[in-house]
Amino acid sequence: MTENPNMYADMYAIHSIPTANMNSDDNGMQKKVSVGGALRTRVSSQAWKKAIRDRFDERAFRTKKAVALLVRKMMDIDNGITEAEASEKAVKLLAEEVSLTKDLTTKALIMLSPSQIDNAARYALSCDSKKYSKKDVREILKKDNSLDLALFGRMVADDPALNVDAAVQFAHAFSTHRIEPEYDYFTALDDLQNKDEQGASHLDHTEYNASTFYRYANVNVNELIHNLNRNKEAGIAGTVEFIRNFVLAMPKGMQNRHANKTLPSYLMVSLRTDTPVNLAVAFEKPVIISNNEYGYTDKSIERLENEFNSTLKMVDNPAATFVLNLESDDTKVKGAVTAENLNDLLQRVSETLTKAVQDEDNND
């Protein structure tokens, strides 16, 4: 874990999504949660993190087949090695750090970056397998994390020294308002059934609803820098990339059925040095629309901004706050700068973090 002063990038979104079932339970029903005594739609943090992770150009392998990955990489590097020889080396190398089954898979999923696989393969090829050093193997598997591994962390029960503390905290998204589940009953007919046959060949139903979500996540920027070999430029770029994909990514559950890919109406990014702050309490009481009123987005944005201002009675003023609101050019957030578009907001975040890191260097 990093010992540098903290810098947190809090990000908040108000995101209206039409009919959808992005994240279902084991019965195919939309996940839900009761907040303040009112039933809400919920999308798990895991579902949204997976959607974000899938957008990264390079990402770690999350697999039990680490031996097979290592064998393939060794054979790519050295055309003269046989599969049996590579397998023997891979097993002996990985056995220094993790438990393997009789099928030569790891007992639990493990995340390994492409660079870690490449470095491990080159090390395995460079010396006799009898001379593999646990210290060397551990060092190879600890450095050169991919961005997703550095952001979301890694737990290795066999050797906690390989654990990577996540730089991201990601909340479950939930609707700002009460919901009433709705159901789609559907049938399918056999195109080739006889004319005298009646009835459908398939009957089923699925749940869906339309919701305006409150979404929140934060990045511990200095922890991310630490996880990326203490590369400050990579840490800042990684934070910006995460924010971009926080906005653009969406879980793919039943997306072909609903075509529900939308963008947030509102994004706020706040850079803090004291503590991350989740503003979910703004929606403990569900947003309610009166007679002759329609839409939850505007009232949800108003609730969020008011809650942000209220928290300033309890925490320090942020180093900087940036707002992108598709509904309005104005904001009630104290001290906030309004961005023209997403690229403008991300550029401002990058410049602010770069200056903060330079100031830390000057104070060392």
Side-chain angles (χ1 to χ4, degrees):
M1 179 176 289
T2 180
E3 298 178 357
N4 294 335
N6 291 322
M7 172 62 79
Y8 300 102
D10 278 341
M11 59 208 75
Y12 313 89
I14 298 297
H15 194 163
S16 184
I17 297 174
T19 55
N21 185 343
M22 295 184 293
N23 187 207
S24 56
D25 62 19
D26 54 346
N27 293 314
M29 301 294 105
Q30 171 70 50
K31 289 184 178 179
K32 307 174 194 69
V33 63
S34 178
V35 179
L39 187 65
R40 320 291 183 94
T41 312
R42 175 175 67 90
V43 177
S44 72
S45 57
Q46 294 92 330
W48 229 302
K49 284 192 290 186
K50 174 66 165 60
I52 291 172
R53 181 171 172 260
D54 285 347
R55 289 182 59 88
F56 293 147
D57 292 334
E58 179 186 90
R59 54 184 181 270
F61 300 98
R62 184 172 59 184
T63 183
K64 290 185 177 182
K65 299 179 180 179
V67 171
L69 273 178
L70 201 49
V71 168
R72 192 181 311 133
K73 178 56 68 173
M74 279 191 276
M75 295 181 72
D76 287 343
I77 295 171
D78 183 356
N79 293 329
I81 193 171
T82 67
E83 185 174 353
E85 292 170 336
S87 181
E88 180 183 2
K89 285 179 172 290
V91 168
K92 289 186 177 180
L93 184 145
L94 288 171
E96 294 288 338
E97 287 296 325
V98 296
S99 300
L100 300 175
T101 70
K102 63 180 180 180
D103 297 322
L104 302 185
T105 62
T106 58
K107 289 186 176 181
L109 288 168
I110 185 171
M111 288 186 74
L112 296 169
S113 74
S115 293
Q116 289 166 349
I117 291 293
D118 185 76
N119 293 338
R122 294 182 186 280
Y123 174 79
L125 291 169
S126 69
C127 58
D128 190 301
S129 60
K130 296 179 181 179
K131 298 181 181 179
Y132 291 163
S133 160
K134 185 180 184 71
K135 180 181 178 182
D136 289 343
V137 174
R138 177 180 293 172
E139 187 62 27
I140 288 169
L141 299 182
K142 283 181 66 174
K143 66 180 183 179
D144 294 331
N145 295 319
S146 55
L147 178 57
D148 60 334
L149 204 166
L151 285 165
F152 302 131
R154 176 177 68 192
M155 189 186 78
V156 182
D158 289 324
D159 186 358
L162 293 181
N163 290 351
V164 177
D165 290 331
V168 165
Q169 296 177 342
F170 207 111
H172 292 235
F174 65 90
S175 62
T176 63
H177 50 89
R178 185 192 305 270
I179 60 104
E180 294 291 341
E182 299 187 59
Y183 300 91
D184 181 23
Y185 172 81
F186 59 92
T187 65
L189 299 176
D190 186 332
D191 289 344
L192 300 181
Q193 72 182 27
N194 296 326
K195 292 182 179 180
D196 57 351
E197 291 183 70
Q198 296 183 349
S201 297
H202 178 76
L203 305 173
D204 206 349
H205 73 281
T206 184
E207 186 180 64
Y208 68 92
N209 57 65
S211 299
T212 297
F213 286 91
Y214 163 72
R215 298 173 50 205
Y216 168 75
N218 69 66
V219 178
N220 183 331
V221 180
N222 285 323
E223 189 70 50
L224 182 58
I225 291 171
H226 173 81
N227 290 347
L228 293 172
N229 295 343
R230 295 180 171 82
N231 185 321
K232 294 179 178 179
E233 290 76 16
I236 293 170
T239 300
V240 170
E241 184 67 11
F242 178 79
I243 297 171
R244 181 187 298 279
N245 289 302
F246 175 82
V247 173
L248 299 178
M250 181 176 286
K252 296 179 180 179
M254 299 192 188
Q255 198 171 93
N256 287 348
R257 181 178 299 180
H258 294 282
N260 55 282
K261 179 69 163 63
T262 59
L263 297 172
S265 298
Y266 180 92
L267 174 69
M268 174 165 58
V269 177
S270 189
L271 305 179
R272 303 176 181 272
T273 56
D274 52 351
T275 180
V277 180
N278 186 335
L279 301 176
V281 69
F283 307 105
E284 183 196 17
K285 294 180 180 179
V287 173
I288 297 174
I289 50 179
S290 316
N291 293 335
N292 301 320
E293 282 188 317
Y294 298 96
Y296 293 104
T297 298
D298 290 345
K299 283 195 172 185
S300 298
I301 292 171
E302 182 179 8
R303 285 268 198 99
L304 182 63
E305 292 194 336
N306 288 342
E307 185 61 32
F308 179 92
N309 291 336
S310 295
T311 62
L312 298 180
K313 298 176 183 177
M314 302 287 289
V315 296
D316 295 340
N317 287 324
T321 302
F322 306 104
V323 169
L324 176 59
N325 187 349
L326 303 188
E327 305 296 317
S328 171
D329 293 331
D330 298 323
T331 179
K332 296 179 180 178
V333 174
K334 294 179 180 177
V337 174
T338 302
E340 293 182 4
N341 51 50
L342 180 58
N343 286 336
D344 179 39
L345 184 147
L346 295 176
Q347 181 64 33
R348 291 173 184 272
V349 169
S350 178
E351 291 171 354
T352 304
L353 290 177
T354 299
K355 184 177 185 304
V357 167
Q358 290 173 345
D359 289 345
E360 284 179 14
D361 292 341
N362 293 335
N363 291 332
D364 286 344

